[in-house]
Amino acid sequence: MTRLSRFDFPEGFLFGAATAAYQIEGTSFGTCGPSHWDSFAATPGNVVRAEDGSTACDHYHRWPEDLDLMAAAGFDAYRFSTSWPRVMPDGVTVNPEGMDFYDRLVDGMLERGLRPFQTLYHWDLPSALADRGGWANRDTCHRFADYAEAITRRLGDRVASIATINEPWCVAWLSHFLGAHAPGLRDIRAAARAMHHILLAHGLGLERLRGITKAPLGIVLNFDHATPASDAPEDLAAAARQDAIFNRWFIEAITRQAYPAEAMLGLAPHLPEGWQEDMATIGQPLDWLGVNYYTRHLHAAAPEAPWPSTREVPGPLPKTQMGWEIYPEGLKGFLLRLSRDYTGDLPLYVTENGMANADTVEDNAVTDAIREDFLFAHLAATREAIAAGANVRGFFYWSLLDNYEWAEGYDKRFGLVHVDFASLKRTPKSSYHALARAIARNDREADR
Ligand code: FCB
């Protein structure tokens, strides 16, 4: 496979890696309040080996080493998240120690020439707010705006970009309808409310931040190619329903101030009263859109099941350690579909793309050739989308480090850098070195 380099992308294209607070920091360090992920993990059956984020990668103490690794690879930008319960342990009261941590972290990025791409909410909802109904409760949206304002008053003069929410589909559907992530509900009414409230939180957050920071403001949505399991009309319709719930709900609310009819069929009866009046807040202009892309899923009709009456069918393509099919064409497809149907010239960033693999350290090194292939195939897909007209401005690999993969615990390794979870030792993998070579500038030597 031809391996692209920095010079195959437009001038100014940013290469980075992404992480999230709960997955790497260690919530037992500093004064961090409890979040719904702690209680979800402490409930039997939710997370592999009931693991939680209390230690994670101990990035809380080891962040200088981690940022050094990013700088040594020649990255331009680092996508990280700030933890709401670290900044506000009870969800509402500012914790100076938490604020100071992020202050040091952002300065550490700037000192190393890394542009800070901040995400405000990457899933760690303070328990005090979860106790009051979490995302099913409209009040949480206002509390989110308060948090967004407080942290931005502290960091907003230095961060290069701010995303309100990471992956609203996961926050709402995966967590309130499928029950796979915290708070682990399987309830269509709570799901519908969360589907709306997470967008309202985004809108209220944007409103609050305009004027107090010059950082470009956006949101990070995830997209999963909804492939019909067969050509049968019922399966085409099943895939279209999944596409509406997963891929269209959020972007259409934001760019058209409307929800797709196929999803409203099941969700409309459960939306909070007066939801229409929120659509203008939700549909405020963005400065950029983040696109997370991993895989596709095959959907078939399941007429015996209640709405959305679909079931997943295993696909034939090679799979990652997560069991996700490797399908780079889907990334190109979404970048082009988004530009064509929704975002026009708005800058797009691939804010997450990566794969899990059962990597092991041998002789102080990790060879993950399969991840190198995955990475370069998705960079090629991104470049093709740019060549076909999509305004893509950057690519962030998920993830810098092996980390806490939510319900999968520490089992699934997504990192460019291996982490030994007993010693916390970091070992850059061959994919890290391959990416460093690809993005090296003429005037600097990449870490080989
Ligand atoms: C995304 C999440 C990220 C990570 C990857 C594998 O859905 O945003 O935190 O878990 O998947």
Side-chain angles (χ1 to χ4, degrees):
M1 187 199 315
T2 4
R3 296 213 157 172
L4 299 175
S5 85
R6 179 186 286 284
F7 303 104
D8 294 306
F9 289 83
E11 181 66 33
F13 190 88
L14 300 180
F15 291 90
T19 65
Y22 191 85
Q23 296 178 274
I24 63 166
E25 286 178 3
T27 53
S28 57
F29 310 124
T31 356
C32 183
S35 80
H36 68 174
W37 264 96
D38 298 322
S39 44
F40 181 74
T43 310
N46 284 341
V47 176
V48 172
R49 292 188 293 264
E51 289 167 337
D52 60 28
S54 52
T55 301
C57 305
D58 188 15
H59 177 74
Y60 186 79
H61 295 107
R62 294 165 197 253
W63 63 264
E65 178 188 350
D66 295 335
L67 296 188
D68 285 348
L69 281 165
M70 298 228 28
F75 283 116
D76 308 300
Y78 174 41
R79 177 169 176 250
F80 69 110
S81 81
T82 45
S83 155
W84 187 351
R86 189 179 288 292
V87 171
M88 295 174 156
D90 63 357
V92 294
T93 317
V94 167
N95 165 32
E97 200 180 335
M99 283 283 191
D100 291 349
F101 171 68
Y102 291 116
D103 205 69
R104 290 194 297 278
L105 188 65
V106 166
D107 283 345
M109 293 177 215
L110 296 176
E111 279 157 21
R112 291 166 178 81
L114 296 165
R115 291 182 211 209
F117 271 58
Q118 180 191 7
T119 299
L120 293 166
Y121 184 73
H122 201 128
W123 306 355
D124 37 6
L125 183 71
S127 296
L129 300 179
D131 293 344
R132 286 179 238 148
W135 292 114
N137 178 358
R138 182 183 181 89
D139 184 61
T140 302
C141 309
H142 295 283
R143 302 291 73 78
F144 171 76
D146 292 344
Y147 153 67
E149 176 174 349
I151 185 83
T152 302
R153 287 201 180 278
R154 185 70 182 266
L155 306 181
D157 58 333
R158 282 159 292 153
V159 292
S161 156
I162 302 176
T164 51
I165 307 292
N166 179 70
E167 300 191 349
W169 179 87
C170 292
V171 174
W173 196 257
L174 185 67
S175 307
H176 296 78
F177 187 81
L178 300 177
H181 279 187
L185 294 182
R186 291 167 52 75
D187 184 288
I188 193 167
R189 194 165 177 83
R193 278 148 200 267
M195 293 283 273
H196 181 69
H197 288 151
I198 197 65
L199 283 165
L200 177 60
H202 157 76
L204 292 172
L206 282 188
E207 222 163 62
R208 228 33 117 73
L209 300 192
R210 294 267 178 230
I212 64 170
T213 177
K214 293 202 180 63
L217 306 178
I219 186 169
V220 171
L221 305 180
N222 54 324
F223 297 92
D224 189 295
H225 197 268
T227 309
S230 80
D231 290 339
E234 315 77 85
D235 290 349
L236 296 180
R241 285 196 294 285
Q242 284 298 335
D243 189 54
I245 295 166
F246 201 127
N247 300 313
R248 293 175 52 206
W249 180 270
F250 305 99
I251 193 65
E252 292 191 7
I254 289 170
T255 58
R256 300 181 181 170
Q257 303 191 5
Y259 289 132
E262 290 89 334
M264 285 300 269
L265 267 180
L267 295 181
H270 304 294
L271 284 173
E273 211 177 306
W275 62 269
Q276 294 89 341
E277 281 136 49
D278 298 328
M279 296 312 275
T281 306
I282 291 172
Q284 285 170 74
L286 297 174
D287 301 323
W288 61 277
L289 175 72
V291 176
N292 289 0
Y293 173 80
Y294 287 92
T295 188
R296 68 169 192 174
H297 282 88
L298 272 54
H299 303 281
E304 68 291 349
W307 186 90
S309 315
T310 67
R311 67 189 164 85
E312 273 175 26
V313 175
L317 302 177
K319 299 185 180 59
T320 70
Q321 191 190 16
M322 293 291 277
W324 295 348
E325 286 191 299
I326 300 177
Y327 186 60
E329 298 82 349
L331 176 57
K332 177 183 172 186
F334 276 120
L335 294 170
L336 289 174
R337 176 180 173 191
L338 285 164
S339 321
R340 187 190 60 223
D341 295 347
Y342 302 108
T343 55
D345 282 341
L346 189 79
L348 302 177
Y349 289 86
V350 177
T351 31
E352 284 182 32
N353 172 249
M355 69 170 285
N357 191 48
D359 304 310
T360 51
V361 182
E362 273 155 49
D363 296 333
N364 242 343
V366 180
T367 306
D368 56 342
I370 187 170
R371 182 174 288 103
E372 296 180 36
D373 289 347
F374 181 100
L375 172 58
F376 283 97
H378 287 81
L379 283 175
T382 304
R383 194 180 162 279
E384 284 169 29
I386 296 172
N391 184 15
V392 192
R393 300 284 186 87
F395 181 100
F396 291 80
Y397 179 79
W398 180 273
S399 178
L400 174 65
L401 304 168
D402 291 342
N403 61 42
Y404 180 69
E405 181 40 42
W406 307 113
E408 304 292 333
Y410 293 94
D411 239 23
K412 303 288 190 278
R413 297 181 173 275
F414 275 91
L416 295 169
V417 175
H418 182 276
V419 177
D420 176 328
F421 292 107
S423 66
L424 297 173
K425 183 177 176 348
R426 275 74 164 144
T427 307
K429 305 178 188 177
S430 63
S431 56
Y432 167 97
H433 296 292
L435 185 54
R437 281 194 297 274
I439 66 178
R441 298 175 185 282
N442 283 338
D443 59 359
R444 69 194 292 182
E445 263 302 291
D447 176 16
R448 276 156 213 270

